[in-house]
Amino acid sequence: MFLRLISLPDWGEYMYNYFPDAKYLGVMDFATPGLLIRDPDLIKDITVKDFEHFPDHRFFVDENVEPLFAKNIFNLRGDRWREMRNTLSPSFTASKMKFMYELIAKCSTEFVDYLVDHPELCSSIETKKIFRRYTTDVIATTAFGVSVNSMKEPNNEFFRKGIEASKFASGVLHMLKFMFMRQFPRLARALDMTFFPRTTGDFFKRIVEENIKMREAQGIVRPDMIHLLMQARDKGSAHKLTLDDIVSQAFIFFFAGFETSSTLMCFVAYELAVNPDIQARLRDEVDRHLAEGSGSISYESMSKMVYMDMVVSEALRKYPPVIFTDRFSAKRYELPPAQPGCKSLIIEPETVIIFPTYSLQNDPKYFPNPEKFDPERFNEENKDKIHPYTYLPFGLGPRKCIGNRFALMETKLLIAELLQKFILKPTEKTVYPVVFDKREFTVQPTGGFWLGLEKREKGK
């Protein structure tokens, strides 16, 4: 993989299928030995039933060197993680989702209207480049309280910092730095190495600090993430929240939305373009709800779009934006025998546990004919037949992604707006089936996500 001879998903498949009958197998995560768990029931035990044995993710960034990344909810551990989880959870309740829906809807409408007004962009367009602009606008307004239109202002600072931050997953030099920080954290700290450019951290810190000062001075109450974090800071807790803590949560929300959510949108749009029958059925559902809502889609009507949910669920199944997720053992634990005739295995604290999300979700044992994009897997009759621990695009258990409902909402809104105004079509640059790029350490097709947007005529 490092020599670019195999893509990340294909490397995952190679490991997953090496011992096809084993519940788990030993693997090397760079220079660190770990266990790849293949058995869904064992995944259930580790992520839910025996969560106290595996409460944390692997940690490799020193918070004194890189607070922007180390202090976010994904990397926090123990009591600090529980406190932050309890602090942030109210951000994603149904009432908060409903409030943020209006902000997101404004972003999606402005985004699609820009494309309608600039047909010269639409004949052949690389969707990752433009969807990142949409996710930038969404996170800027919902997490930072800042209005941005990244299509009209292509060089705005929010977007540029997102591009800077996402570069850690591309290119050999960035990957070397990433590996070095994982394998030699103490030396990396001594060398004052950072995960992201210093300017990225400085920018987000300045934005949040100015935002907090303005809210305090003017008595502004905006029910978003920063407001909740300000409330938690003022209440006081065992671990008093600092500005770095607040910035770190807002940043990881931005980073996850910028990269993984835009990737999901790209794959949904791609599959709709190459499957016109699925696109037509989804458009009919969108048009029906638009008619019922007098030309707009409400939060309630979006939640009733059954086929939209099926389409997005299948895109997450076939192309999970995160190929692997992990856990870190906190206590000794006994695993059952990996195969009949083998002995059980005692694992020690600080053992790396890896869950092969992509491979489980593309295993024909659990999802027949996995290369086929088939939303019917998630219809009312079939979805209950899916083993719940073979489908984990947002992780599982208490450490499941806290923003999953938000990511689904912004994705569905954008797709609905696009289908209202355009017909998505493949172009000569569209590669089908997908061939994953060996140069990237994220899930991307070779050559990019190229599609055409054909403006809908009235009545069609």
Side-chain angles (χ1 to χ4, degrees), residues 29-56:
D29 180 19
F30 296 103
T32 304
L35 288 172
L36 185 81
I37 310 297
R38 301 180 74 261
D39 179 62
D41 294 319
L42 191 49
I43 291 173
K44 178 182 179 180
D45 289 347
I46 291 171
T47 58
V48 179
K49 181 170 170 281
D50 297 320
F51 174 74
E52 72 277 5
H53 286 81
F54 305 92
D56 301 314

Short mmCIF file of all heavy atoms in Angstrom, two decimals, residues 29-56:
data_model
loop_
_atom_site.label_atom_id
_atom_site.label_comp_id
_atom_site.label_asym_id
_atom_site.label_seq_id
_atom_site.Cartn_x
_atom_site.Cartn_y
_atom_site.Cartn_z
N ASP A 29 -0.18 -3.20 11.99
CA ASP A 29 -0.60 -1.84 11.68
C ASP A 29 0.67 -1.00 11.67
O ASP A 29 1.10 -0.50 12.70
CB ASP A 29 -1.59 -1.36 12.74
CG ASP A 29 -2.08 0.05 12.47
OD1 ASP A 29 -1.94 0.51 11.32
OD2 ASP A 29 -2.59 0.69 13.40
N PHE A 30 1.29 -0.87 10.48
CA PHE A 30 2.65 -0.35 10.37
C PHE A 30 3.55 -1.23 11.24
O PHE A 30 3.65 -2.41 10.98
CB PHE A 30 2.72 1.14 10.72
CG PHE A 30 1.93 2.00 9.77
CD1 PHE A 30 0.69 2.49 10.12
CD2 PHE A 30 2.41 2.25 8.50
CE1 PHE A 30 -0.05 3.26 9.22
CE2 PHE A 30 1.68 3.01 7.60
CZ PHE A 30 0.46 3.51 7.97
N ALA A 31 4.18 -0.70 12.28
CA ALA A 31 5.07 -1.53 13.11
C ALA A 31 4.38 -2.04 14.37
O ALA A 31 5.03 -2.62 15.24
CB ALA A 31 6.31 -0.73 13.48
N THR A 32 3.08 -1.83 14.49
CA THR A 32 2.36 -2.22 15.70
C THR A 32 1.50 -3.46 15.42
O THR A 32 0.67 -3.45 14.52
CB THR A 32 1.44 -1.07 16.16
OG1 THR A 32 2.22 0.10 16.34
CG2 THR A 32 0.74 -1.43 17.46
N PRO A 33 1.70 -4.53 16.20
CA PRO A 33 0.84 -5.71 16.02
C PRO A 33 -0.57 -5.42 16.53
O PRO A 33 -0.77 -4.68 17.49
CB PRO A 33 1.52 -6.78 16.88
CG PRO A 33 2.33 -6.03 17.88
CD PRO A 33 2.72 -4.74 17.23
N GLY A 34 -1.54 -5.98 15.85
CA GLY A 34 -2.93 -5.79 16.27
C GLY A 34 -3.77 -6.98 15.86
O GLY A 34 -3.26 -7.97 15.31
N LEU A 35 -5.07 -6.89 16.12
CA LEU A 35 -5.99 -7.96 15.76
C LEU A 35 -7.08 -7.41 14.86
O LEU A 35 -7.70 -6.39 15.17
CB LEU A 35 -6.64 -8.57 17.01
CG LEU A 35 -5.73 -9.42 17.90
CD1 LEU A 35 -6.46 -9.78 19.19
CD2 LEU A 35 -5.32 -10.70 17.17
N LEU A 36 -7.31 -8.08 13.74
CA LEU A 36 -8.39 -7.75 12.83
C LEU A 36 -9.57 -8.67 13.17
O LEU A 36 -9.45 -9.89 13.07
CB LEU A 36 -7.95 -7.95 11.38
CG LEU A 36 -8.95 -7.53 10.31
CD1 LEU A 36 -8.87 -6.02 10.09
CD2 LEU A 36 -8.68 -8.26 8.99
N ILE A 37 -10.68 -8.08 13.59
CA ILE A 37 -11.84 -8.88 14.02
C ILE A 37 -12.79 -9.06 12.84
O ILE A 37 -13.30 -8.08 12.29
CB ILE A 37 -12.57 -8.20 15.20
CG1 ILE A 37 -11.59 -7.81 16.31
CG2 ILE A 37 -13.67 -9.11 15.73
CD1 ILE A 37 -10.88 -8.96 16.95
N ARG A 38 -13.04 -10.31 12.48
CA ARG A 38 -13.89 -10.61 11.32
C ARG A 38 -15.30 -11.06 11.71
O ARG A 38 -16.21 -11.05 10.90
CB ARG A 38 -13.25 -11.73 10.48
CG ARG A 38 -11.87 -11.45 9.94
CD ARG A 38 -11.35 -12.63 9.13
NE ARG A 38 -12.01 -12.71 7.83
CZ ARG A 38 -13.01 -13.51 7.55
NH1 ARG A 38 -13.52 -14.31 8.47
NH2 ARG A 38 -13.53 -13.53 6.33
N ASP A 39 -15.47 -11.50 12.95
CA ASP A 39 -16.71 -12.13 13.37
C ASP A 39 -17.70 -11.09 13.93
O ASP A 39 -17.38 -10.40 14.90
CB ASP A 39 -16.41 -13.19 14.45
CG ASP A 39 -17.67 -13.87 14.93
OD1 ASP A 39 -18.32 -14.52 14.11
OD2 ASP A 39 -17.99 -13.74 16.13
N PRO A 40 -18.90 -10.96 13.34
CA PRO A 40 -19.85 -9.94 13.80
C PRO A 40 -20.25 -10.08 15.27
O PRO A 40 -20.41 -9.07 15.96
CB PRO A 40 -21.05 -10.14 12.88
CG PRO A 40 -20.53 -10.84 11.68
CD PRO A 40 -19.39 -11.70 12.17
N ASP A 41 -20.41 -11.30 15.73
CA ASP A 41 -20.79 -11.48 17.13
C ASP A 41 -19.68 -11.05 18.08
O ASP A 41 -19.95 -10.51 19.16
CB ASP A 41 -21.17 -12.95 17.39
CG ASP A 41 -22.43 -13.36 16.63
OD1 ASP A 41 -23.37 -12.54 16.58
OD2 ASP A 41 -22.46 -14.46 16.07
N LEU A 42 -18.44 -11.27 17.68
CA LEU A 42 -17.31 -10.83 18.49
C LEU A 42 -17.21 -9.30 18.46
O LEU A 42 -16.86 -8.66 19.46
CB LEU A 42 -16.02 -11.48 17.98
CG LEU A 42 -14.77 -11.35 18.83
CD1 LEU A 42 -15.04 -11.73 20.29
CD2 LEU A 42 -13.65 -12.23 18.26
N ILE A 43 -17.53 -8.70 17.31
CA ILE A 43 -17.56 -7.23 17.21
C ILE A 43 -18.61 -6.68 18.17
O ILE A 43 -18.38 -5.67 18.85
CB ILE A 43 -17.85 -6.80 15.76
CG1 ILE A 43 -16.64 -7.14 14.87
CG2 ILE A 43 -18.16 -5.31 15.69
CD1 ILE A 43 -16.87 -6.91 13.39
N LYS A 44 -19.75 -7.34 18.27
CA LYS A 44 -20.80 -6.93 19.21
C LYS A 44 -20.28 -6.97 20.65
O LYS A 44 -20.49 -6.03 21.43
CB LYS A 44 -22.01 -7.83 19.07
CG LYS A 44 -23.13 -7.51 20.05
CD LYS A 44 -24.29 -8.48 19.90
CE LYS A 44 -25.39 -8.17 20.91
NZ LYS A 44 -26.53 -9.12 20.78
N ASP A 45 -19.59 -8.05 20.99
CA ASP A 45 -19.06 -8.17 22.36
C ASP A 45 -18.09 -7.03 22.67
O ASP A 45 -18.14 -6.42 23.74
CB ASP A 45 -18.34 -9.51 22.53
CG ASP A 45 -19.30 -10.69 22.57
OD1 ASP A 45 -20.52 -10.46 22.71
OD2 ASP A 45 -18.83 -11.84 22.42
N ILE A 46 -17.20 -6.74 21.73
CA ILE A 46 -16.14 -5.75 21.98
C ILE A 46 -16.71 -4.33 22.03
O ILE A 46 -16.32 -3.53 22.88
CB ILE A 46 -15.05 -5.87 20.89
CG1 ILE A 46 -14.27 -7.19 21.08
CG2 ILE A 46 -14.08 -4.67 20.94
CD1 ILE A 46 -13.32 -7.52 19.94
N THR A 47 -17.64 -4.01 21.12
CA THR A 47 -18.12 -2.63 21.03
C THR A 47 -19.28 -2.32 21.96
O THR A 47 -19.50 -1.15 22.31
CB THR A 47 -18.55 -2.29 19.58
OG1 THR A 47 -19.59 -3.22 19.18
CG2 THR A 47 -17.39 -2.38 18.63
N VAL A 48 -20.02 -3.34 22.39
CA VAL A 48 -21.22 -3.08 23.20
C VAL A 48 -21.18 -3.85 24.52
O VAL A 48 -21.09 -3.25 25.60
CB VAL A 48 -22.50 -3.45 22.42
CG1 VAL A 48 -23.75 -3.20 23.28
CG2 VAL A 48 -22.59 -2.64 21.13
N LYS A 49 -21.23 -5.17 24.44
CA LYS A 49 -21.38 -6.00 25.65
C LYS A 49 -20.23 -5.80 26.63
O LYS A 49 -20.43 -5.64 27.83
CB LYS A 49 -21.47 -7.47 25.23
CG LYS A 49 -21.65 -8.45 26.36
CD LYS A 49 -21.98 -9.84 25.82
CE LYS A 49 -21.92 -10.89 26.92
NZ LYS A 49 -20.54 -11.29 27.22
N ASP A 50 -19.01 -5.79 26.14
CA ASP A 50 -17.82 -5.64 27.00
C ASP A 50 -17.12 -4.31 26.72
O ASP A 50 -15.89 -4.23 26.71
CB ASP A 50 -16.86 -6.82 26.77
CG ASP A 50 -17.49 -8.15 27.16
OD1 ASP A 50 -18.18 -8.19 28.20
OD2 ASP A 50 -17.30 -9.14 26.44
N PHE A 51 -17.93 -3.27 26.51
CA PHE A 51 -17.38 -1.97 26.17
C PHE A 51 -16.35 -1.47 27.17
O PHE A 51 -15.36 -0.83 26.80
CB PHE A 51 -18.52 -0.95 26.02
CG PHE A 51 -18.05 0.46 25.82
CD1 PHE A 51 -17.52 0.85 24.60
CD2 PHE A 51 -18.11 1.40 26.85
CE1 PHE A 51 -17.06 2.15 24.40
CE2 PHE A 51 -17.67 2.69 26.66
CZ PHE A 51 -17.13 3.07 25.44
N GLU A 52 -16.54 -1.77 28.46
CA GLU A 52 -15.61 -1.25 29.47
C GLU A 52 -14.20 -1.80 29.29
O GLU A 52 -13.23 -1.21 29.77
CB GLU A 52 -16.12 -1.56 30.89
CG GLU A 52 -16.04 -3.02 31.31
CD GLU A 52 -17.22 -3.87 30.81
OE1 GLU A 52 -18.07 -3.36 30.05
OE2 GLU A 52 -17.28 -5.07 31.18
N HIS A 53 -14.06 -2.91 28.57
CA HIS A 53 -12.73 -3.45 28.26
C HIS A 53 -12.10 -2.73 27.06
O HIS A 53 -10.88 -2.77 26.90
CB HIS A 53 -12.81 -4.95 27.95
CG HIS A 53 -13.02 -5.81 29.16
ND1 HIS A 53 -14.25 -6.00 29.72
CD2 HIS A 53 -12.14 -6.53 29.92
CE1 HIS A 53 -14.14 -6.80 30.78
NE2 HIS A 53 -12.87 -7.12 30.91
N PHE A 54 -12.94 -2.11 26.22
CA PHE A 54 -12.46 -1.48 24.98
C PHE A 54 -13.10 -0.10 24.82
O PHE A 54 -13.80 0.16 23.84
CB PHE A 54 -12.80 -2.36 23.77
CG PHE A 54 -12.29 -3.76 23.86
CD1 PHE A 54 -13.08 -4.78 24.41
CD2 PHE A 54 -11.01 -4.08 23.42
CE1 PHE A 54 -12.61 -6.08 24.50
CE2 PHE A 54 -10.54 -5.39 23.51
CZ PHE A 54 -11.33 -6.38 24.06
N PRO A 55 -12.87 0.81 25.75
CA PRO A 55 -13.62 2.07 25.73
C PRO A 55 -13.06 3.16 24.82
O PRO A 55 -13.73 4.16 24.58
CB PRO A 55 -13.54 2.53 27.19
CG PRO A 55 -12.20 2.00 27.66
CD PRO A 55 -12.01 0.69 26.95
N ASP A 56 -11.84 2.97 24.31
CA ASP A 56 -11.16 4.07 23.63
C ASP A 56 -10.70 3.71 22.23
O ASP A 56 -10.57 2.54 21.87
CB ASP A 56 -9.94 4.51 24.45
CG ASP A 56 -10.31 4.95 25.85
OD1 ASP A 56 -11.29 5.72 25.99
OD2 ASP A 56 -9.65 4.52 26.81
#
